[in-house]
Amino acid sequence: MSAESRTRAETANSRGYTLVDVLAPDNLALAWKRVKAIRCAAGIDGLEVGDFPAFMRQHWEKLRGKLEGAPTSRLRCAACPAVDCDLKAFFDTVDHQKLMARLRGRVADPALLALILRYLKAGAITREGRYEEQLGGVPQGGPLSPLLANILLDELDLELEERGHKFVRYADDFIILCRSQRAGQRILRSVRRFLSDRLKLIVNEAKSRVVKLAEASFLGFGIVRRRVRWTAKSLGRFKAQVRQITRRTRGHSPKSVIAELATYVRGAFNYYGPGVAFGEARELDRWFRRRARLYYWKQWGRPRTRRRKLLKLGVGRDEGKRLTEPLWRRRA
């Protein structure tokens, strides 16, 4: 990546930049260009990429006033032992003082540091309408949370590099390669002590283990026959969400359900696409279509309505009548 294509937050001497530099028009234009290029799906606010320019033109001055006041790794040895480590409730237990101390070593602008601290302590409104103060941890769901996690755990990276370990990490998910099962257990105990003593983080004993690399998972991916594939757990979560969207008792219009399904599938495949085999993608496509047809069928309701809709789609009158008859009356 050339220096011209990097945002100022990514350059080697980024500590000299202030919040004013980050919010400079040329830096924001470069960040927007990169977001637009990857064609992201809408976030939790429902704002599509194409709607963002109009939104910014309308709200930028107000936002500016308030502000100023996904890893790639080629792992070949699938049979090698690896430490698959999981941190217990990581985003809920991050120590604010420790994190801010790390940030002060990288960020010189007091206004930017104050803004991040306000973000950490912003709290949340519960479903019952009550405000809950944020005493620790990092808010989940936003783009800033994994970035802050990477900054905090950079100390772990340096420790592992100093010990000569080969590893891959993003946010709180990491895998460490080792030479044997015994060596892996020793590394796991050592990492547990380091995280507890230095970073005040707890390793999830139930989920952390030493396994063959092919049995480990990283960011929802695993290695199957020396190829990167999404895990069965990731596939299960994906299908569960598709079933939730296409649930036939929702009562939403078929058009809105199909649009919601398309948005979710597009976003999921932008992430999981490299780990989905071609045959599996085709089978999922057929499954999506079956779910969509069943939703339409449920929404059409009465046999008379179904026959009328089928006729509009070009289905013959006799065939339409046969398809809408109760199962016990149908003929072979």
Short mmCIF file of all heavy atoms in Angstrom, two decimals, residues 2 7-9 23 47 63 70 83 89 91-92 96 109 132 137-138 145 209-210 216 232 244 260-261 291 303 308:
data_model
loop_
_atom_site.label_atom_id
_atom_site.label_comp_id
_atom_site.label_asym_id
_atom_site.label_seq_id
_atom_site.Cartn_x
_atom_site.Cartn_y
_atom_site.Cartn_z
N SER A 2 0.69 2.16 -0.93
CA SER A 2 1.50 3.36 -1.03
C SER A 2 1.14 4.32 0.09
O SER A 2 0.08 4.25 0.69
CB SER A 2 1.29 4.04 -2.38
OG SER A 2 -0.04 4.48 -2.50
N THR A 7 -4.62 6.18 5.19
CA THR A 7 -5.15 7.26 6.01
C THR A 7 -4.08 7.64 7.02
O THR A 7 -3.15 6.87 7.29
CB THR A 7 -6.43 6.83 6.73
OG1 THR A 7 -6.14 5.73 7.58
CG2 THR A 7 -7.52 6.44 5.75
N ARG A 8 -4.23 8.80 7.62
CA ARG A 8 -3.18 9.28 8.52
C ARG A 8 -3.06 8.42 9.77
O ARG A 8 -2.03 8.40 10.41
CB ARG A 8 -3.47 10.74 8.88
CG ARG A 8 -3.20 11.65 7.69
CD ARG A 8 -3.62 13.07 7.92
NE ARG A 8 -3.34 13.85 6.72
CZ ARG A 8 -3.76 15.09 6.53
NH1 ARG A 8 -4.50 15.68 7.45
NH2 ARG A 8 -3.46 15.74 5.42
N ALA A 9 -4.12 7.72 10.13
CA ALA A 9 -4.07 6.86 11.32
C ALA A 9 -3.20 5.64 11.08
O ALA A 9 -2.82 4.95 12.01
CB ALA A 9 -5.48 6.42 11.70
N LEU A 23 -9.64 14.59 11.05
CA LEU A 23 -10.89 15.10 10.49
C LEU A 23 -10.67 16.00 9.28
O LEU A 23 -11.63 16.59 8.78
CB LEU A 23 -11.66 15.88 11.57
CG LEU A 23 -12.08 15.09 12.81
CD1 LEU A 23 -12.78 15.99 13.81
CD2 LEU A 23 -12.98 13.93 12.43
N LEU A 47 -28.12 2.72 7.48
CA LEU A 47 -27.65 3.68 6.48
C LEU A 47 -26.85 2.96 5.41
O LEU A 47 -25.79 2.40 5.69
CB LEU A 47 -26.81 4.77 7.14
CG LEU A 47 -26.36 5.93 6.25
CD1 LEU A 47 -27.55 6.77 5.84
CD2 LEU A 47 -25.33 6.78 6.97
N LEU A 63 -21.78 17.13 13.49
CA LEU A 63 -20.92 16.03 13.93
C LEU A 63 -19.51 16.52 14.20
O LEU A 63 -18.88 16.14 15.20
CB LEU A 63 -20.89 14.93 12.87
CG LEU A 63 -22.18 14.13 12.68
CD1 LEU A 63 -22.06 13.22 11.46
CD2 LEU A 63 -22.49 13.31 13.91
N ALA A 70 -10.92 -7.22 8.85
CA ALA A 70 -10.98 -8.05 8.79
C ALA A 70 -9.84 -8.78 8.41
O ALA A 70 -9.26 -8.59 7.48
CB ALA A 70 -12.12 -8.54 8.13
N VAL A 83 -2.19 -23.59 19.97
CA VAL A 83 -2.92 -23.10 21.14
C VAL A 83 -4.06 -22.22 20.64
O VAL A 83 -3.83 -21.14 20.08
CB VAL A 83 -2.00 -22.30 22.08
CG1 VAL A 83 -2.80 -21.76 23.27
CG2 VAL A 83 -0.83 -23.15 22.55
N ALA A 89 -15.12 -12.99 28.26
CA ALA A 89 -15.85 -11.71 28.27
C ALA A 89 -14.90 -10.54 28.04
O ALA A 89 -14.91 -9.54 28.76
CB ALA A 89 -16.59 -11.54 29.60
N PHE A 91 -14.51 -8.01 25.81
CA PHE A 91 -14.99 -6.64 25.59
C PHE A 91 -15.70 -6.08 26.82
O PHE A 91 -15.93 -4.88 26.90
CB PHE A 91 -15.91 -6.60 24.37
CG PHE A 91 -15.16 -6.72 23.07
CD1 PHE A 91 -15.10 -7.94 22.40
CD2 PHE A 91 -14.50 -5.64 22.52
CE1 PHE A 91 -14.41 -8.06 21.20
CE2 PHE A 91 -13.80 -5.74 21.33
CZ PHE A 91 -13.76 -6.96 20.67
N ASP A 92 -16.07 -6.94 27.75
CA ASP A 92 -16.73 -6.48 28.98
C ASP A 92 -15.74 -6.24 30.12
O ASP A 92 -16.12 -5.64 31.13
CB ASP A 92 -17.77 -7.50 29.45
CG ASP A 92 -18.91 -7.66 28.44
OD1 ASP A 92 -19.25 -6.67 27.77
OD2 ASP A 92 -19.44 -8.78 28.33
N HIS A 96 -10.04 0.24 31.66
CA HIS A 96 -9.95 1.55 31.01
C HIS A 96 -8.62 2.23 31.28
O HIS A 96 -8.04 2.86 30.38
CB HIS A 96 -11.10 2.45 31.50
CG HIS A 96 -12.43 2.07 30.94
ND1 HIS A 96 -13.61 2.65 31.35
CD2 HIS A 96 -12.78 1.16 29.99
CE1 HIS A 96 -14.62 2.12 30.68
NE2 HIS A 96 -14.14 1.20 29.88
N ASP A 109 -2.67 13.95 20.97
CA ASP A 109 -3.70 14.97 21.02
C ASP A 109 -4.63 14.75 22.22
O ASP A 109 -5.35 13.74 22.27
CB ASP A 109 -4.50 14.95 19.72
CG ASP A 109 -5.56 16.03 19.67
OD1 ASP A 109 -5.39 17.04 20.38
OD2 ASP A 109 -6.56 15.87 18.95
N GLU A 132 -27.45 2.68 31.93
CA GLU A 132 -26.47 1.91 32.68
C GLU A 132 -25.08 2.48 32.44
O GLU A 132 -24.65 2.61 31.29
CB GLU A 132 -26.51 0.43 32.26
CG GLU A 132 -27.74 -0.31 32.75
CD GLU A 132 -27.66 -1.81 32.48
OE1 GLU A 132 -26.69 -2.22 31.80
OE2 GLU A 132 -28.55 -2.54 32.95
N GLY A 137 -14.68 -2.20 30.28
CA GLY A 137 -14.97 -2.83 29.01
C GLY A 137 -15.03 -1.85 27.85
O GLY A 137 -14.86 -0.64 28.02
N VAL A 138 -15.29 -2.40 26.67
CA VAL A 138 -15.35 -1.61 25.43
C VAL A 138 -16.70 -1.88 24.77
O VAL A 138 -17.09 -3.04 24.64
CB VAL A 138 -14.21 -2.02 24.47
CG1 VAL A 138 -14.31 -1.26 23.16
CG2 VAL A 138 -12.85 -1.76 25.12
N SER A 145 -14.12 -0.56 18.48
CA SER A 145 -13.86 -1.57 19.51
C SER A 145 -12.72 -2.53 19.13
O SER A 145 -11.81 -2.74 19.94
CB SER A 145 -15.15 -2.34 19.81
OG SER A 145 -16.13 -1.48 20.31
N ARG A 209 -7.65 -24.28 24.48
CA ARG A 209 -7.16 -25.66 24.42
C ARG A 209 -6.00 -25.76 23.44
O ARG A 209 -5.74 -24.85 22.65
CB ARG A 209 -8.29 -26.59 23.96
CG ARG A 209 -8.89 -26.13 22.66
CD ARG A 209 -10.21 -26.75 22.33
NE ARG A 209 -10.67 -26.26 21.03
CZ ARG A 209 -11.24 -26.99 20.09
NH1 ARG A 209 -11.41 -28.28 20.29
NH2 ARG A 209 -11.63 -26.46 18.96
N VAL A 210 -5.31 -26.87 23.52
CA VAL A 210 -4.24 -27.20 22.58
C VAL A 210 -4.77 -28.29 21.66
O VAL A 210 -5.12 -29.38 22.11
CB VAL A 210 -2.96 -27.68 23.31
CG1 VAL A 210 -1.87 -28.00 22.29
CG2 VAL A 210 -2.49 -26.61 24.29
N ALA A 216 -8.67 -26.08 15.07
CA ALA A 216 -8.79 -24.74 15.64
C ALA A 216 -9.65 -23.86 14.72
O ALA A 216 -9.88 -24.19 13.56
CB ALA A 216 -7.40 -24.12 15.81
N ALA A 232 -18.28 -24.95 10.95
CA ALA A 232 -19.67 -25.40 11.07
C ALA A 232 -20.47 -24.46 11.97
O ALA A 232 -21.66 -24.22 11.74
CB ALA A 232 -19.71 -26.82 11.62
N GLN A 244 -34.43 -16.79 10.55
CA GLN A 244 -35.11 -15.73 11.30
C GLN A 244 -35.69 -14.68 10.34
O GLN A 244 -36.83 -14.23 10.52
CB GLN A 244 -34.12 -15.07 12.27
CG GLN A 244 -34.69 -13.91 13.07
CD GLN A 244 -35.74 -14.33 14.06
OE1 GLN A 244 -35.83 -15.49 14.43
NE2 GLN A 244 -36.56 -13.38 14.51
N GLU A 260 -34.29 -7.52 2.81
CA GLU A 260 -33.52 -7.74 4.04
C GLU A 260 -32.62 -8.96 3.91
O GLU A 260 -31.46 -8.94 4.34
CB GLU A 260 -34.48 -7.91 5.21
CG GLU A 260 -33.78 -8.06 6.56
CD GLU A 260 -34.76 -8.24 7.71
OE1 GLU A 260 -35.98 -8.10 7.50
OE2 GLU A 260 -34.30 -8.54 8.83
N LEU A 261 -33.15 -10.02 3.31
CA LEU A 261 -32.35 -11.24 3.11
C LEU A 261 -31.16 -10.96 2.20
O LEU A 261 -30.04 -11.40 2.47
CB LEU A 261 -33.23 -12.34 2.50
CG LEU A 261 -32.54 -13.65 2.15
CD1 LEU A 261 -31.97 -14.32 3.40
CD2 LEU A 261 -33.50 -14.59 1.43
N ARG A 291 -36.67 -20.96 0.60
CA ARG A 291 -37.20 -20.19 1.73
C ARG A 291 -38.04 -19.02 1.22
O ARG A 291 -39.09 -18.72 1.78
CB ARG A 291 -36.04 -19.66 2.59
CG ARG A 291 -35.14 -20.70 3.22
CD ARG A 291 -35.75 -21.40 4.39
NE ARG A 291 -36.21 -20.52 5.44
CZ ARG A 291 -36.76 -20.97 6.57
NH1 ARG A 291 -36.89 -22.27 6.77
NH2 ARG A 291 -37.18 -20.12 7.48
N PRO A 303 -56.27 -20.65 -1.12
CA PRO A 303 -56.04 -21.31 -2.42
C PRO A 303 -56.43 -20.44 -3.60
O PRO A 303 -55.74 -20.44 -4.63
CB PRO A 303 -56.92 -22.56 -2.33
CG PRO A 303 -57.00 -22.85 -0.86
CD PRO A 303 -57.04 -21.52 -0.19
N ARG A 308 -54.55 -17.41 -8.38
CA ARG A 308 -54.48 -16.16 -9.14
C ARG A 308 -53.02 -15.70 -9.31
O ARG A 308 -52.62 -15.27 -10.40
CB ARG A 308 -55.30 -15.09 -8.44
CG ARG A 308 -55.41 -13.79 -9.24
CD ARG A 308 -56.34 -12.79 -8.59
NE ARG A 308 -55.78 -12.26 -7.36
CZ ARG A 308 -56.23 -12.54 -6.15
NH1 ARG A 308 -57.24 -13.39 -5.98
NH2 ARG A 308 -55.67 -12.01 -5.07
#
